[in-house]
Amino acid sequence: MKRKTIATLTGLALATTGVSMAYATPATDRIGGIDRYDTAVQIAARTFTGHQDTVYIARGDLPVDALVAGQLTDGPVLLSPLGQVNPRTLQALQGYSPKEIIFLGKAFPASTINAYKTPGAQAWVMGGKDRQETSALIAGRAF
């Protein structure tokens, strides 16, 4: 018998016995901040609480590296504007008290990296010669 016929017969058998077919609707919840930086902080807060050894910071104005970093599970991914410090990102970062702050991509200037450094944390850049190499480095850390 073909699958379509079996499915039809199963449905008819259930209907004649009084058993109804129910479909579960998954529960959903919207996470949204006042901007992408705040949304990243809220997503991180739902997944990571308290001290985190590692925190990742990716560009918010060009979030290619942040999208690739979605596969990382060892620490939250926060966003920062290029060349600036976002106060909500900084506050979240300080709340995690990380030992390691990893900036994704080579575009962050030293002044931004230094502004995000927290006491006792090592800050470094994970970036390749191009986006593809940076993506491979991120994936290598994830798997």
Side-chain angles (χ1 to χ4, degrees):
M1 263 191 233
K2 293 184 178 179
R3 288 184 183 180
K4 192 172 187 180
T5 305
I6 292 172
T8 303
L9 290 174
T10 303
L12 287 172
L14 289 173
T16 59
T17 61
V19 175
S20 64
M21 294 173 54
Y23 298 98
T25 304
T28 59
D29 192 15
R30 183 183 185 284
I31 302 172
I34 59 171
D35 57 21
R36 66 185 70 185
Y37 307 99
D38 189 47
T39 300
V41 167
Q42 289 185 32
I43 291 169
R46 292 242 182 139
T47 310
F48 299 95
T49 58
H51 168 75
Q52 297 298 316
D53 286 339
T54 304
V55 174
Y56 299 92
I57 298 181
R59 287 177 63 178
D61 61 314
L62 187 61
V64 175
D65 297 328
L67 292 172
V68 175
Q71 62 191 322
L72 296 167
T73 59
D74 63 333
V77 178
L78 303 173
L79 299 177
S80 176
L82 187 61
Q84 299 174 29
V85 174
N86 181 281
R88 288 180 304 280
T89 299
L90 181 60
Q91 182 179 12
L93 177 68
Q94 291 168 341
Y96 290 124
S97 302
K99 294 179 183 175
E100 179 180 51
I101 304 166
I102 302 175
F103 289 83
L104 303 174
K106 286 185 163 181
F108 286 101
S111 60
T112 302
I113 293 170
N114 289 332
Y116 278 114
K117 281 185 84 170
T118 58
Q122 295 289 329
W124 60 282
V125 174
M126 180 186 293
K129 67 179 191 244
D130 56 25
R131 286 194 182 117
Q132 290 77 18
E133 190 172 299
T134 300
S135 294
L137 290 170
I138 294 169
R141 185 159 173 107
F143 298 103

